[in-house]
Each structure stands twice: as C-alpha cells, then as structure tokens.
Amino acid sequence: MLPKSFQACQRKFGPVRYIKKASMIRFNNITKVYQVKAAGHKRVVALDGISFGVEKGEFVSVVGRSGAGKTTLFKLLLMEEKPTGGSVLYKNENIYKFKPKNINNLRRNVGAVFQDYKLLPNMTVTENIAYVMKVIGSSDAEIRRDIPKILEIVELEDRAQNFPAELSGGEAQRAAIARALIHRPEVVLADEPTGNLDPYHTLDILKLFLKINEMGTTVILASHNREIINKLKKRVVTLDQGKIVRDEAKGRFSL
Amino acid sequence: MLTSLKRTIGLGWQNMVRDGGIAVANIFIMMIPILLVSSIFLLKDISRYMIDALQAKADISVYFNENTTEDDILKVKQDITSIPQVNEVKYISKDQALLDFTERHKDSATLMESLSQVNGNPFLASLNIKAMGMSDYDQVASFLGQEQYKAMVNKVNYSEKKSVIEKIFFLTAGVSKTGLILAAILGFVSVLVTFNTIRMAILNRREEIAIQRLVGASHWFIRGQFFVEGLIFGLLAAIFCFLISSGISWYANSSLEALMPGLNLWNNYMAGIGTMFLLQFATGTILGTISSMIATTRYLKV
Ligand SMILES: Nc1ncnc2c1ncn2[C@@H]1O[C@H](COP(=O)(O)OP(=O)(O)OP(=O)(O)O)[C@@H](O)[C@H]1O
Ligand SMILES: [Mg+2]
C-alpha cells in the first residue's frame, strides 16, 4: 500500500515511480530464539518480531531492562548470531545473503563498542586500536598519526602500552570506545558504553558520541541508564521482553 | 599487498613471541629431523672419502711361473697396459721381490733365518696392476684368465679390499636409508607436534579470533598469522640447525682428520655449505608450512 501523499502525487502528475526511502539499517520482523543446551534445549525468546529502521545520520538509543534483548539486536547486526526469523537490511541489502567479503566490509563500516569490550588480550591498547586500522588497510603513517589523537580524546595516553588485563574497567571501556571510533565508521554501535565510567567520563563520552553524530555518523546506543538517555533528547526505542513497546523521537527513558 | 604481508608477518611473530615457551619447545622438536637430514648429508662425504681411500689401495697382483722370461712378462705388461680401464702396471722382478722382502723383514730373525735355509730366491716375478675404478678389476682378472696366459701365470692375487669397499658402500647406503626413514618419521612427529601447537594456539585464541572477525578481519588476514607462526618455527629451527652443523663440522674436523688423513670435513662442509643451508631451510619450511596448513584448515573455520 502506497502512502496517501504519494497517491495524491500520482493523481496530480500521472505515473511516478515510488522509491521507498532506504534506511541505513532496517530490522524486519526479527525474531531470535536461543536454545540453552545445558537446560535441556530450553528456548529463550530474546527478540520477538522487532521491526524498525535507522536512517543515515540518526542518533538512536535502544533502552530496556536487563535481558530485554539489546545486545542480541546488536549481535544480529554484526552477524555474530543468526536470527531465527526475519531479516536485517544494511543499505537495503539483506546482510544474511552477504558473501564473506561483504560481511567483512559491513563489520569494518560498523564500529562497535561491545558491552564486554572484547579487547584482544594479547595486545596492548595501542596494538588493539592499530589492529582495526591494519584490518581496513590504513598506512603505518596514519596509524602513527591517529592513535595518539584518539588516546588523548578518551584520556588514555598514559595507558597506551598496557595490556587489557592491566586496565581498570573504565579504562578498558574507553579503550574499546577508541577502537570503535578510530577508523571513522559510518555507523557506531555502542552497547552500554558508559556502564563502567564515572560521571565525569560518562559525560565526556556522550559529548563525543554527539559530536561524531553531528559530523554525520549514525549512532546506535544501547543503555539502561535513565539519566543519560533523558539528557540526550534523541530518538528512543524501548524494548521489553524482546518487543518494541515505544519508539519516540526526542524520547525519554520510561519503563 | 606488501604492507598486508608485512603486517601478517609482524602479527604472527608477535603471537609467537608472546607464547614463548611453547615456541621454544616446538623449535627444538623441529630441529631433530632437520639435523638428521643434515647428518646424512655429512655422512655421505665421510663414506665417499673412505671408499676413495680404499680404492686407491686396491690392486691385483699376477705371479708368473719360474720359467717365464722377463721379456714375456714385459710383453704381458704391455698387453695389460693397453686395456683402457687399467691405470697403472708395475713390474716386480724376482730380485726386486726378494729385496723388498728382506727390507721389510730385516728385523725379524726367524724370517731371515728361514729365508737363508731356502737355497736361491723363492720369490716369483709379478705384475702389480691398479685399475681405474673398483668395478674394473673383474675385467682385468678375466683378461688374465685368457688361454694364452695359462702357461705363464702361477696365480692371480685379487686383493680382498673389494669386499671391504662393498661393505662400506652397503653400510653407507644402509645408514642413509635408515637415516632417511628415521628423518621421515621424526619429520612426521614434528609436523604432528607443530600442528598440535598451532591447534592449541587456535583453540586458546578462539575468542581472539572471534573478535578479529567482528572487527572485519578477513579469513586470510587471520589465517596468515598462524601460517607465519608455523613458518617461523621451521625457519628458526633451520637456522639453529645450520649453526649446529657448522659448529660440529668445525669442532670435529681435527679429530676426524687424525683418524682419516686427507679427509677435511670442514673444507667439504664449506664446499657444500650452500646446499646444506638450502636443505635445512627447505626441510624447515616444508615442516612448518605443512603443519600450519593442516592446523588452520582443520581448526580455523570461517
Ligand atoms: N547465547 C545465549 N544463549 C542463551 N540465551 C541467551 C544468550 N544470549 C542472550 N541470551 C538471553 O537472551 C535474552 C536477551 O539478552 P541480551 O544480552 O540481548 O539482553 P540485554 O538487553 O543486552 O541485557 P543487558 O542490559 O543486561 O545487557 C536474555 O534473557 C538472555 O538470557
Ligand atoms: Mg546487553
């Protein structure tokens, strides 16, 4: 069914091709059911018929109680998990039909801050960040030039040569943020990126996300931190038990 | 392309260094088959020397009956000299034989006494023949067996050395063959061990590999690191083996030369040093590559 306004257009101007606006990312009726083997293949419904799109340059917060399915949603986008049903479109293409090369490209275009950081344990902070740059093929000169800058932004200059095990929780989180942003990805996926930060750093990181968003980067933030969501005054998608219960522009955190 | 190769090598090297203990153990195990192959290579030199030395000493002596004239003998000598496989023919007259004997045994009273009891010269005139090579003596012997010489020839003394040479030859061949089989078995073992090291590395780093995938690293970027690791094991093992074999050749040189004069192991080693290095290098590379190939194909699923 075409939109009303478009039908009006057609009456006025004759046949016009309708181009559906392409979202940057689109979740189409996504369902994810985990099977817990140790519990006799008990089924856990993490996501239950989720549909929403994220436009280029948008800043979207996905909120919900612990266990609502936020991380699962991110995992599906990064193809860490396969959906039980539905599809995920990236620039109008079904990512689950991607060839390995396209999968790699998708992952390079999406900078992710993982809830559990996922820093490479055998590499220092600098090496961790450099790894992503090496993967996308940055030159050595770029690596030498950019890493000190990002470390300064997240205030980790003093921990550049530390291994992840030698970092505090907040420092590791900031290292993970630096790694996610270093190569200026089109989309930033940040899963509870301030969960381990003190209020001072939390504010700093939020400002950083807002700044890169202003520069055109699409940001998707998952959080259950009421305060920061309300401060953002951006679109909020609220999940509850795997379903979208609210999707509001300039939304507030309410459960 | 070049930077990505450089990076793969760098990351593989880094992984290896940060797993130092396992790497050292692995390199040692890879050295065993490489050293075996190298020692077979060195053994060939020693045995060739021994065979050459014995061949130089081999000869055939033909003794002529009392009544054969010196002219007849010299004519036979001429006949034999004309055989192309013959290197050298020396005529030893009755008198010369007696002289040689007394010279050699002048200190032995009993021998001299028994000689004096025999009236006249008991020795026979002879021709001493040296052929070009070991296999040529049969031909010389059959030449002397001809009908025309039957009347003159008292006996043909085929020196026993042929069997000694054959023994050395077979021994060397046997040792080389056993060595090669052993090297193959140990090579197989070292492939298994390296394979296992890389398998453990892959399993240990399963999470890491998953993370590398999540940030978009390609299959070959990740696989290359493990590949490089196996290859570095092989190359380092080869380099250590090269140092060891060079050291041994240098160190054992003087004692071996005392045992077998004229054999200069060090010079031989230096002459074949390029081949030796290539041999070790190739063995190391092959061992390393095979093991990492198997391990990554099996355990590094996309
Ligand atoms: N690998 C898994 N196997 C089985 N169940 C899982 C798995 N991962 C997640 N779940 C379940 O799926 C549900 C959603 O989990 P998810 O991690 O998406 O929640 P979340 O919204 O990110 O929570 P939090 O705010 O605590 O991070 C939870 O009930 C969780 O127990
Ligand atoms: Mg989560």
Side-chain angles (χ1 to χ4, degrees):
Chain A
M1 186 60 189
L2 297 176
K4 281 246 159 58
S5 57
F6 187 78
Q7 291 174 354
C9 255
Q10 257 184 349
R11 275 197 297 275
K12 208 165 173 186
F13 301 109
V16 181
R17 202 150 60 94
Y18 173 64
I19 299 171
K20 194 176 163 211
K21 196 180 169 209
S23 298
M24 187 82 165
I25 294 160
R26 170 130 218 116
F27 295 92
N28 266 340
N29 200 18
I30 279 284
T31 305
K32 175 68 190 178
V33 180
Y34 288 111
Q35 304 241 350
V36 185
K37 274 198 197 118
H41 293 276
K42 200 182 108 187
R43 288 158 48 90
V44 177
V45 180
L47 294 174
D48 186 5
I50 296 264
S51 296
F52 74 103
V54 177
E55 306 308 320
K56 186 170 165 39
E58 226 182 337
F59 193 125
V60 182
S61 304
V62 179
V63 304
R65 287 198 189 87
S66 180
K70 304 178 292 290
T71 301
T72 303
L73 202 62
F74 285 7
K75 281 184 176 168
L76 292 175
L77 177 58
L78 281 175
M79 307 188 70
E80 210 182 331
E81 294 279 355
K82 276 205 161 80
T84 315
S87 59
V88 178
L89 306 186
Y90 178 72
K91 296 182 179 170
N92 256 10
E93 282 187 74
N94 186 348
I95 63 171
Y96 298 105
K97 297 201 171 125
F98 274 179
K99 294 192 180 74
K101 200 180 155 214
N102 292 339
I103 296 175
N104 291 336
N105 279 333
L106 166 72
R107 288 171 172 169
R108 289 171 201 180
N109 288 337
V110 177
V113 184
F114 301 97
Q115 193 169 15
D116 54 354
Y117 318 143
K118 294 200 197 300
L119 295 168
L120 293 163
N122 271 339
M123 295 185 190
T124 63
V125 170
T126 302
E127 286 164 354
N128 260 287
I129 301 170
Y131 188 84
V132 183
M133 298 188 81
K134 288 176 181 177
V135 163
I136 63 160
S138 308
S139 71
D140 287 345
E142 286 170 316
I143 292 176
R144 270 194 305 274
R145 187 193 63 204
D146 290 352
I147 290 182
K149 281 191 201 159
I150 193 90
L151 286 178
E152 200 192 318
I153 291 173
V154 298
E155 295 186 22
L156 273 184
E157 307 101 301
D158 294 346
R159 300 288 181 268
Q161 301 311 323
N162 285 38
F163 286 97
E166 300 163 348
L167 299 173
S168 75
E171 286 166 345
Q173 190 148 42
R174 279 178 280 145
I177 291 167
R179 180 183 64 179
L181 304 183
I182 186 71
H183 54 304
R184 297 165 222 267
E186 295 180 329
V187 180
V188 169
L189 272 192
D191 195 354
E192 207 66 65
T194 56
N196 251 315
L197 301 185
D198 55 53
Y200 164 74
H201 278 117
T202 300
L203 209 62
D204 256 15
I205 294 299
L206 278 184
K207 278 184 193 154
L208 180 61
F209 283 145
L210 285 169
K211 193 170 143 201
I212 60 168
N213 177 244
E214 258 161 45
M215 282 156 51
T217 310
T218 310
V219 180
I220 307 177
L221 173 79
S223 179
H224 41 217
N225 184 326
R226 177 184 306 267
E227 217 177 315
I228 65 163
I229 298 300
N230 290 343
K231 214 171 263 167
L232 279 169
K233 299 191 174 59
K234 296 277 186 187
R235 178 177 168 199
V236 177
V237 175
T238 310
L239 294 186
D240 191 26
Q241 293 182 17
K243 289 194 171 85
I244 295 183
V245 293
R246 251 187 304 280
D247 182 351
E248 305 161 315
K250 303 215 170 154
R252 291 183 61 84
F253 188 101
S254 52
L255 271 173
Chain B
M1 189 62 214
L2 207 67
T3 25
S4 119
L5 189 72
K6 200 187 78 195
R7 281 171 182 173
T8 312
I9 293 173
L11 288 167
W13 172 262
Q14 188 182 303
N15 284 343
M16 195 195 77
V17 171
R18 291 193 179 154
D19 248 343
I22 294 172
V24 169
N26 214 303
I27 289 168
F28 268 109
I29 284 164
M30 277 197 152
M31 280 168 66
I32 297 169
I34 301 178
L35 277 180
L36 254 166
V37 173
S38 330
S39 39
I40 293 165
F41 193 69
L42 279 180
L43 180 77
K44 282 247 160 68
D45 272 348
I46 297 177
S47 86
R48 192 177 311 122
Y49 163 80
M50 290 197 335
I51 288 171
D52 282 350
L54 281 167
Q55 258 171 3
K57 280 184 194 150
D59 58 10
I60 282 184
S61 291
V62 209
Y63 295 90
F64 294 91
N65 290 326
E66 287 279 0
N67 48 12
T68 321
T69 65
E70 193 168 283
D71 285 345
D72 283 340
I73 296 174
L74 287 176
K75 217 175 103 17
V76 176
K77 183 187 171 199
Q78 229 164 30
D79 292 349
I80 295 170
T81 314
S82 67
I83 305 173
Q85 288 90 342
V86 167
N87 188 17
E88 191 190 356
V89 185
K90 217 165 89 190
Y91 170 56
I92 298 153
S93 66
K94 275 173 74 81
D95 298 340
Q96 184 67 43
L98 179 64
L99 220 66
D100 285 351
F101 185 84
T102 46
E103 179 66 26
R104 208 179 310 150
H105 299 290
K106 61 178 183 265
D107 298 330
S108 162
T110 40
L111 273 179
M112 291 331 269
E113 199 185 311
S114 50
L115 183 65
S116 67
Q117 271 161 21
V118 187
N119 39 9
N121 181 348
F123 294 97
L124 296 173
S126 65
L127 287 176
N128 185 278
I129 306 156
K130 280 192 189 300
M132 294 292 186
M134 265 327 286
S135 48
D136 299 329
Y137 284 101
D138 284 338
Q139 204 156 354
V140 176
S142 64
F143 180 84
L144 292 167
Q146 288 179 87
E147 202 57 44
Q148 42 177 322
Y149 303 123
K150 278 265 164 69
M152 289 183 259
V153 172
N154 180 292
K155 74 172 184 191
V156 175
N157 204 346
Y158 209 151
S159 77
E160 308 278 291
K161 288 173 194 100
K162 183 176 179 196
S163 66
V164 177
I165 289 176
E166 269 169 2
K167 266 188 206 139
I168 293 181
F169 201 77
F170 284 123
L171 197 71
T172 315
V175 170
S176 305
K177 203 180 281 171
T178 330
L180 271 179
I181 293 171
L182 210 64
I185 294 172
L186 289 173
F188 180 69
V189 170
S190 74
V191 165
L192 274 186
V193 172
T194 314
F195 161 78
N196 199 50
T197 309
I198 295 176
R199 184 182 72 110
M200 291 303 287
I202 291 174
L203 294 183
N204 278 341
R205 294 194 212 129
R206 219 192 324 225
E207 295 227 331
E208 246 179 286
I209 293 168
I211 296 171
Q212 294 179 350
R213 289 253 156 77
L214 278 178
V215 298
S218 70
H219 178 68
W220 274 105
F221 193 78
I222 297 171
R223 189 170 179 181
Q225 296 165 37
F226 290 100
F227 234 85
V228 165
E229 211 173 323
L231 203 62
I232 293 176
F233 285 157
L235 292 183
L236 282 182
I239 290 170
F240 287 137
C241 286
F242 182 70
L243 294 179
I244 289 175
S245 60
S246 303
I248 286 177
S249 306
W250 169 253
Y251 187 76
N253 190 34
S254 52
S255 41
L256 255 173
E257 196 160 19
L259 209 65
M260 298 180 234
L263 171 67
N264 193 319
L265 189 66
W266 176 244
N267 283 351
N268 275 337
Y269 182 78
M270 289 306 282
I273 198 161
T275 323
M276 176 61 109
F277 186 68
L278 274 182
L279 187 76
Q280 295 174 332
F281 197 77
T283 318
T285 312
I286 291 168
L287 288 180
T289 314
I290 291 177
S291 14
S292 32
M293 185 118 89
I294 302 173
T296 49
T297 320
R298 251 200 87 158
Y299 292 98
L300 203 66
K301 297 274 155 58
V302 190

